[in-house]
Amino acid sequence: MELCYITGHRNPDMDSVCAAYSYSVLLNNVFKNGEMKYTPVRLGPVSDAVKAVFDNLSLPLPEVLRDVRTKASDVMRYGKASLNVDDPIYKLVLLYNDSYPSVVPIKKDGVVVGLVSVDDINRFFLKENHKVRPNYILLEENIGKVVGGMFYKRGRKKAFENSIIVGAMEYDVFIKRAEMCPTKPFLVVGNRKRHIEYAISHDFPGIILTGVDDIASLGIDFSTYEGLVYLSSEDTAETIRLLRLATPIENVMSEEQGPKLSVSTSYEEAKNTLRDSQYRGLSVYGEDGLWKGYVTRRCFLERPMKKVILVDHNEIEQSVPGLEEADIIGIVDHHRLDAPKLPRPISIISEPIGSTCTIIYHQFIKYGQEIDKTTATVLLSGVIADTVMLKSPTTTRDDIEAAFSLSAKAEVESIEEFGRKLFSSSLDLKSVDPEKIILQDFKKYSEKGIAFGIGQVEVPSISEVEDVFQSYKAALEKVRNDNRLDWAMLLLTDVFKEVSLLLTTGLDREYKFVYEKECDCLYYLPGVLSRKKQLLPEVLRVLED
């Protein structure tokens, strides 16, 4: 099933996280018989208030999505079939004849230890063309798996590394040839008593008899012989051919497996690494060091794109890293539209209202879907947070109607009390790293050649700002430098008293503010609750003038 991520903006706030979760619930219900699974994600840490909403509902927070760039993990394969190091080459050859894989994963004790390709098989057979007589590494069990027939007697040894000799020549010639072998050979022979007795007396590791139906008719005593005796049902030529294929795969697999890729290796890097190597496939490992899959040249014939739906934002700069490599299939937002140019039409649901969660609520109605108590609570949290308890100038009649409808479904008796509990989770400015607070809901803008950013945080009381003024001022300056901005601001809002303080890094045009100046870089903003609707227009006016 294909996966589609539903994500809010960077520095996720209540509305974006709740919208992502609720929209996934809706789409998974509406298209439950489809081929797409919709998964809510977030792009960073969330506030204590957001955590409290999900904790109270026993819901897991959406997972953090670092980026949507195509990686090795998106194109890697796992191998429909794998073999073990002790399996005979015969199995590998059958697999290649059946499905023509680029590579085959090879396991040892249940763990993949490498890849084998047709190149390894070719190398094995080409080795026989060397002038030196080859030794074959054979396992007793593999002989029984590959060569048709049965064991008459199993040997003391279970593994061998020996050459192979056929007892088809005259006895004297056979002895000379046997003595020329670098190691005592395996004997493949028919009904030749003297050849067999020689092999027994000289401790050949194994004797494979062909064309012998009744071993008793040979009149040979095998009782003292410590090697294996196997009765092949194949003719001599076929027995020799199959015997060579009883070699365990481990002895075909190259010791050098090439560069190791990580699941997080980018698509381009993985593609180029494989292209510049001599291998048909490369293994991919997880962050835990364990084998996860492999890539071959076939994996890079077409670049896959992760599917993404944007909620509570539409600008690429505010979204998940790597979005330019993704397939955006939808946008749900209540901000001004500045969406990226796309190669095809997509669904864009945009309404000039106070909360994206209100738009999601409208979508539930559009599709005729019931909203359960849990989802209603999540949606209500997003609406109340983004409209600042329905007090923000961005609040519309639609937001108010949605809030009352959702409160009934969530079995909330008092929206005001619900909002007080929601905002009572606002953090203590003294207990958290100032930079983390600033970046928690920080948005960047550019106007009239000035790059600036505005963060906003709800506080229990603006009276505590005095105690942390210097530390937050220093942190705000660091945020400005780190983000290469000309101007940075932090709006600290007391939603209960409906008042805010604006902390800035200073700009030569700040004197144009209509706000009352408390002290250097600190302004008093009574009645200002909305960054978008109230503060931003004033900032733009200052820059315009």
Side-chain angles (χ1 to χ4, degrees), residues 140-141 143-154 207-210 212-215 228-234 239:
E140 184 181 80
E141 288 299 321
I143 294 174
K145 293 176 181 177
V146 175
V147 182
M150 60 179 289
F151 282 99
Y152 174 73
K153 184 178 186 296
R154 290 184 179 270
I207 301 170
I208 299 181
L209 302 174
T210 62
V212 177
D213 297 325
D214 182 11
I215 196 168
L228 69 85
V229 179
Y230 191 81
L231 303 180
S232 172
S233 60
E234 311 288 349
T239 297

Side-chain angles (χ1 to χ4, degrees), residues 354-372:
S355 167
T356 302
C357 281
T358 300
I359 303 177
I360 305 299
Y361 165 75
H362 291 162
Q363 293 302 299
F364 271 92
I365 296 174
K366 173 184 174 180
Y367 285 103
Q369 293 291 310
E370 286 295 323
I371 304 176
D372 60 76

Side-chain angles (χ1 to χ4, degrees), residues 246-263:
T247 299
I249 292 174
E250 184 174 23
N251 299 102
V252 175
M253 188 167 60
S254 299
E255 291 185 9
E256 293 293 331
Q257 287 287 311
K260 292 182 178 180
L261 302 177
S262 166
V263 290

Side-chain angles (χ1 to χ4, degrees), residues 380-430:
L380 181 61
S381 300
V383 174
I384 295 302
D386 227 36
T387 62
V388 194
M389 295 175 62
L390 304 177
K391 297 176 182 179
S392 170
T394 61
T395 307
T396 67
R397 181 179 296 277
D398 284 335
D399 297 302
I400 296 171
E401 290 177 353
F404 278 94
S405 175
L406 290 168
S407 65
K409 297 178 184 297
E411 299 179 10
V412 170
E413 294 183 0
S414 168
I415 291 180
E416 183 174 352
E417 184 60 29
F418 179 86
R420 287 189 174 276
K421 289 181 179 179
L422 194 67
F423 283 100
S424 66
S425 302
S426 300
L427 37 81
D428 180 2
L429 294 177
K430 300 176 185 178

Side-chain angles (χ1 to χ4, degrees), residues 46-167:
V46 296
S47 66
D48 291 341
V50 175
K51 290 179 183 177
V53 168
F54 281 79
D55 286 346
N56 292 338
L57 295 170
S58 298
L59 289 175
L61 272 170
E63 294 290 328
V64 175
L65 182 64
R66 299 300 178 188
D67 65 74
V68 287
R69 296 182 180 92
T70 308
K71 300 182 178 64
S73 58
D74 299 313
V75 296
M76 71 181 183
R77 301 180 179 185
Y78 308 95
K80 294 181 179 178
S82 62
L83 297 172
N84 292 308
V85 291
D86 292 335
D87 283 334
I89 297 174
Y90 181 75
K91 276 192 172 183
L92 186 61
V93 173
L94 289 180
L95 181 60
Y96 266 95
N97 287 335
D98 179 58
S99 57
Y100 307 104
S102 296
V103 294
V104 177
I106 307 300
K107 294 181 178 179
K108 184 176 184 179
D109 298 327
V111 178
V112 174
V113 293
L115 303 173
V116 167
S117 73
V118 69
D119 294 335
D120 297 303
I121 299 175
N122 291 336
R123 195 178 300 113
F124 170 76
F125 288 112
L126 289 173
K127 186 172 61 175
E128 297 182 353
N129 292 327
H130 291 184
K131 293 180 179 180
V132 179
R133 188 182 190 119
N135 277 351
Y136 294 92
I137 298 173
L138 303 173
L139 298 181
E140 184 181 80
E141 288 299 321
N142 283 352
I143 294 174
K145 293 176 181 177
V146 175
V147 182
M150 60 179 289
F151 282 99
Y152 174 73
K153 184 178 186 296
R154 290 184 179 270
R156 178 174 54 85
K157 293 177 63 177
K158 303 302 178 186
F160 317 90
E161 185 173 358
N162 303 85
S163 55
I164 299 173
I165 190 169
V166 180

